[in-house]
């Protein structure tokens, strides 16, 4: 949710933004329609949606309008049949250093509760297509929560993760206490949330928060490469697999197994299941049609 005292993240991190890595900025094709993000398609077949947070001077602090733009971009990629996966990244200095404190500073309980403040942020977690976070630099507060809403997290070797809201007299409000606990366990989640301390990319991987670590200059390309692998598969079956895995966090083991079995049986009504098994038997590459 929050980063630290004031979005002027100068309190600890300094307020200078770094220029985007040239490789990332070059491939953004639709950024003109957005103010706070760069949007484009990546991969050899342009089948990976790409969203880059673009508030570098504020270390990509997550204001409400930025998150609305992210939701809009996700909607566009969801409705694009060519897109099989989506990558979200920030700059080399910061994935996102927190929520915009200036935007929240004067809000009242009535405004937050009545308006269900931050509820729209969950759009990242409800996207049917797989979302990969490519995290460099700071992923703190809302930035850590945004990364955890994604399905896969790749981290640069200098990345840092944290939930420092306690230092601002509040608590995480966009899933931080829930997703972090499920990812790293009660003890480490308690320590991070109650102290505001950060963990390194290496600690994040050891605790299960991220799946892979790469040098900072490679992490975005590796996330796109992962997206391309996912996009090769049937988008229909991929969505079923994602639903089944997410069910493990919300259901009992018995209920989760029933959901899995139902979805598994459902694949036998698809053309892609038949094509995949036929291709295996015939020793050829499958040609999925998302049917």
């Amino acid at each position: 949710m929050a980063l630290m005292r004031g979005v002027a993240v100068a309190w600890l991190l300094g307020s200078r933004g770094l220029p985007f890595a040239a490789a990332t900025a070059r491939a953004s094709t639709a950024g003109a329609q957005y103010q706070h993000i760069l949007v484009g398609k990546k991969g050899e077949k342009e089948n990976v949606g790409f969203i880059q947070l673009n508030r570098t001077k504020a270390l990509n602090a997550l204001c409400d309008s930025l998150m609305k733009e992210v939701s809009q971009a996700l909607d566009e990629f969801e409705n694009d049949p060519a897109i099989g996966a989506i990558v979200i990244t920030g700059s080399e200095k910061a994935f996102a250093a927190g929520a915009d404190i200036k935007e929240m500073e004067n809000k009242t309980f009535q405004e937050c509760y009545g308006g269900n403040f931050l509820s729209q942020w969950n759009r990242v977690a409800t996207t049917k297509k797989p979302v990969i976070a490519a995290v460099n630099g700071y992923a703190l507060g809302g930035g850590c929560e945004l990364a955890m809403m994604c399905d896969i997290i790749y981290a640069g070797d200098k990345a840092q993760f944290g939930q420092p809201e306690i230092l601002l007299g509040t608590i995480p409000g966009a899933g931080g206490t829930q997703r972090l606990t499920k990812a790293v366990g009660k003890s480490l989640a308690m320590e991070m949330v109650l102290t505001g301390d950060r963990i390194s990319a290496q600690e994040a991987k050891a605790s299960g928060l991220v799946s892979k670590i790469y040098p900072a200059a490679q992490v975005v390309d590796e996330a796109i490469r992962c997206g391309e692998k996912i996009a090769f598969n049937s988008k229909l079956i991929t969505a079923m697999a994602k639903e089944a895995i997410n069910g493990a966090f919300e259901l009992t083991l018995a209920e989760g197994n029933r959901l899995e079995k139902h979805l598994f049986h459902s694949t036998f009504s698809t053309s892609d299941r038949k094509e995949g098994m036929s291709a295996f038997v015939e020793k050829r590459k499958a040609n999925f049609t998302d049917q």
Side-chain angles (χ1 to χ4, degrees):
M1 193 186 72
L3 158 66
M4 302 172 268
R5 299 179 165 95
V7 136
V9 271
W11 176 53
L12 202 69
L13 307 179
S15 58
R16 283 189 314 175
L18 294 183
F20 293 115
T24 3
R26 273 201 304 268
S28 297
T29 58
Q33 66 188 90
Y34 298 101
Q35 181 181 356
H36 299 303
I37 61 176
L38 301 174
V39 178
K41 296 182 180 181
K42 294 276 196 169
E44 187 178 332
K45 296 185 177 180
E46 294 196 336
N47 53 5
V48 178
F50 186 79
I51 300 172
Q52 183 170 21
L53 309 184
N54 189 23
R55 295 187 74 205
T56 46
K57 290 184 178 179
L59 293 178
N60 290 328
L62 304 174
C63 61
D64 193 55
S65 54
L66 180 148
M67 292 306 296
K68 285 179 179 176
E69 289 185 0
V70 169
S71 294
Q72 180 184 340
L74 289 171
D75 288 341
E76 292 179 6
F77 287 140
E78 284 271 69
N79 294 323
D80 187 339
I83 297 298
I86 301 162
V87 170
I88 297 179
T89 193
S91 67
E92 194 166 319
K93 178 77 171 179
F95 176 72
D100 193 326
I101 308 304
K102 289 182 179 179
E103 192 173 74
M104 295 191 295
E105 183 180 8
N106 295 317
K107 282 189 177 293
T108 65
F109 164 76
Q110 290 84 351
E111 288 177 308
C112 291
Y113 188 77
N116 202 9
F117 183 47
L118 299 187
S119 60
Q120 77 277 10
W121 285 32
N122 204 48
R123 178 67 184 93
V124 179
T126 61
T127 302
K128 282 191 175 182
K129 294 179 180 179
V131 182
I132 305 162
V135 177
N136 268 321
Y138 304 108
L140 306 178
C144 187
E145 289 171 312
L146 176 60
M148 291 190 294
M149 290 178 201
C150 299
D151 302 301
I152 298 170
I153 303 177
Y154 279 8
D157 52 4
K158 303 300 182 184
Q160 296 183 33
F161 298 84
Q163 298 289 164
E165 289 86 351
I166 198 79
L167 305 178
L168 300 177
T170 187
I171 69 171
T177 62
Q178 304 304 300
R179 291 190 176 94
L180 185 63
T181 304
K182 292 179 186 299
V184 307
K186 177 183 175 181
S187 182
L188 181 54
M190 280 286 192
E191 182 180 11
M192 291 174 67
V193 172
L194 299 186
T195 67
D197 288 349
R198 312 171 196 167
I199 60 173
S200 67
Q202 292 72 24
E203 292 170 303
K205 185 177 186 302
S207 66
L209 183 60
V210 308
S211 58
K212 290 183 180 177
I213 299 174
Y214 294 99
Q218 298 176 21
V219 65
V220 173
D221 288 339
E222 293 296 340
I224 292 167
R225 200 165 286 122
C226 176
E228 288 185 284
K229 288 182 183 178
I230 293 170
F232 167 78
N233 298 318
S234 165
K235 298 175 185 64
L236 179 63
I237 305 302
T238 295
M240 291 181 180
K242 176 174 173 174
E243 181 182 354
I245 293 172
N246 283 335
F249 293 98
E250 301 170 2
L251 305 170
T252 66
L253 178 59
E255 291 168 336
N257 279 332
R258 281 195 292 272
L259 172 63
E260 179 189 84
K261 195 72 69 182
H262 170 72
L263 291 168
F264 168 68
H265 290 161
S266 297
T267 67
F268 282 77
S269 67
T270 69
S271 299
D272 282 344
R273 192 282 312 168
K274 181 175 178 57
E275 165 62 13
M277 291 189 176
S278 295
F280 178 83
V281 171
E282 297 166 12
K283 294 183 170 59
R284 60 176 175 81
K285 183 179 286 189
N287 181 27
F288 296 118
T289 58
D290 307 322
Q291 300 291 324

